[in-house]
Amino acid sequence: MSTAPHVVVVGAGALGGWTALWLVRAGARVTLVDAYGPGNSRSSSGGETRVIRQAYADPFHADLAGRALELWRAEESSFSRPVLERRGALFLVQEPRRAFAAAARANFAARGVAHEDLAPREVERRHPWISAHDVEDAFFEPGAGVLHARRACREVAERVALEGGTVVLAAARLVDDGEAASHVELSNGDRVAADRFVLACGPWLPRLVPELAAFLTTSRQEVVFFAPPPGLAATLERSAPVWADLGAAFWYGIPGGEHRGFKGADDTRGAPVDPDGERRVVGDDTLARTAGYLARRFPPLAGSPVVETRVCQYTDTPDDDHLFDRHPRLANAFVLGGGCGHAFKSGPAIAEIAARAVLGDGVGPGRWRIDRTSSAV
């Protein structure tokens, strides 16, 4: 029998899938379990596209995003289909977010990340579909772009299986004796014993670990896709950058991607959600508010019909940073989550840190520990 530790990873999204892959490559025996499948529509890693960027005010997250981009580039060659699309990212900035822009530029300079400062008039010259009338500052990050999310989750899970891991489609319940976990009971009737366990199941994490219920909050996030006019559709689909509008609210989107339409969303946190029972239909108020914003910022798309909508969710910590730590009670189990709307892009790098800790001393960054904000737990 192999002496390699057996690790069960619960959750095949942005964090669990990559953690499982790094564990396999480090020599562990790995079982990756997901209730609905990698990139499924109930998960926070579902949907078609995500933005990847290195524009962060926090130096730690700038480093994390930079490492993740390196890993996405390196690993994509092993996938059966491309998952990274280099379009660049355009940031439109107004006074409430000027400090973010300054800090992001400082991090670019310190790390040698290419960027270009743009005057509002230059934004409109390059992109006539944008109205920058109220924009005070702008910059462009050419190395940023789009990740194909659902596709990437499936590709990572396929690599886990191809490289020696086991991928199981089933819900999991962790069984323990109060001090250590012994196995997971699966909804297909199987029991899987292991040496160590990683719970990386996004919005389901508080269900598996009730001690985290007051530490993690899961919010409803609504996304709308609009049909651009025929004369503009080809330009948006082929060469337009992803965008972020940093004002009193934080709007962001992707102009095109596999001809699904012009994606736009407000990053403001929505109401609490139940990931299993949530009715994933976007409300009329969101449709109206998003259409109104679109008409102001992107005038040629005014009146464009809605072609698709999506209800996703964010799982947040009190300080909007990630979570990696030992289970509050179980010495051989770990919790990994708190995506906070940023985990997909940085998933490979977050998981790299987590996998190393799971097979090592079990210690991750102090800023990701549960007790970093113990008063909030």
Side-chain angles (χ1 to χ4, degrees), residues 127-339:
H127 309 292
W129 45 278
I130 297 177
S131 171
H133 67 281
D134 57 347
V135 172
E136 300 168 9
D137 186 19
F139 62 93
F140 177 66
E141 181 189 341
V146 178
L147 292 166
H148 291 270
R150 190 191 311 271
R151 181 190 306 174
C153 289
R154 291 175 177 170
E155 292 287 344
V156 170
E158 287 174 11
R159 290 310 315 173
V160 170
L162 287 170
E163 296 186 26
T166 301
V167 181
V168 180
L169 181 61
R173 185 177 73 85
L174 192 64
V175 179
D176 65 86
D177 62 7
E179 295 184 356
S182 58
H183 64 278
V184 289
E185 292 184 349
L186 303 182
S187 56
N188 62 10
D190 290 345
R191 291 164 49 122
V192 181
D195 303 296
R196 297 164 204 174
F197 301 82
V198 179
L199 308 179
C201 45
W204 291 273
L205 190 52
R207 293 188 184 178
L208 268 69
V209 188
E211 294 91 337
L212 297 177
F215 185 72
L216 296 175
T217 58
T218 301
S219 61
R220 177 185 175 95
Q221 304 298 132
E222 298 184 332
V223 181
V224 186
F225 296 77
F226 294 85
L232 183 58
T235 297
L236 297 179
E237 184 71 30
R238 183 174 56 247
S239 59
V242 302
W243 53 272
D245 193 345
L246 310 177
F250 175 13
W251 291 86
Y252 70 95
I254 298 171
E258 299 188 339
H259 309 286
R260 303 188 76 89
F262 189 98
K263 176 180 178 178
D266 181 354
D267 197 60
T268 303
R269 297 322 193 238
V273 299
D274 170 3
D276 284 316
E278 191 70 12
R279 184 172 182 264
R280 296 181 184 270
V281 178
V282 170
D284 289 342
D285 57 338
T286 295
L287 295 175
R289 186 163 45 83
T290 308
Y293 164 78
L294 201 77
R296 294 190 301 274
R297 182 61 74 206
F298 310 108
L301 282 86
S304 294
V306 173
V307 291
E308 190 172 327
T309 64
R310 172 168 170 74
V311 176
C312 188
Q313 59 258 319
Y314 289 166
T315 301
D316 291 324
T317 62
D319 59 2
D320 291 328
D321 209 336
H322 305 309
L323 165 67
F324 173 75
D325 204 349
R326 288 191 183 273
H327 189 287
R329 291 183 295 105
L330 310 176
N332 63 336
F334 298 84
V335 291
L336 175 60

Side-chain angles (χ1 to χ4, degrees), residues 23-44:
L23 289 170
V24 166
R25 291 187 180 172
R29 293 180 294 140
V30 175
T31 301
L32 176 61
V33 182
D34 195 282
Y36 303 115
N40 71 82
S41 293
R42 302 189 207 197
S43 70
S44 296

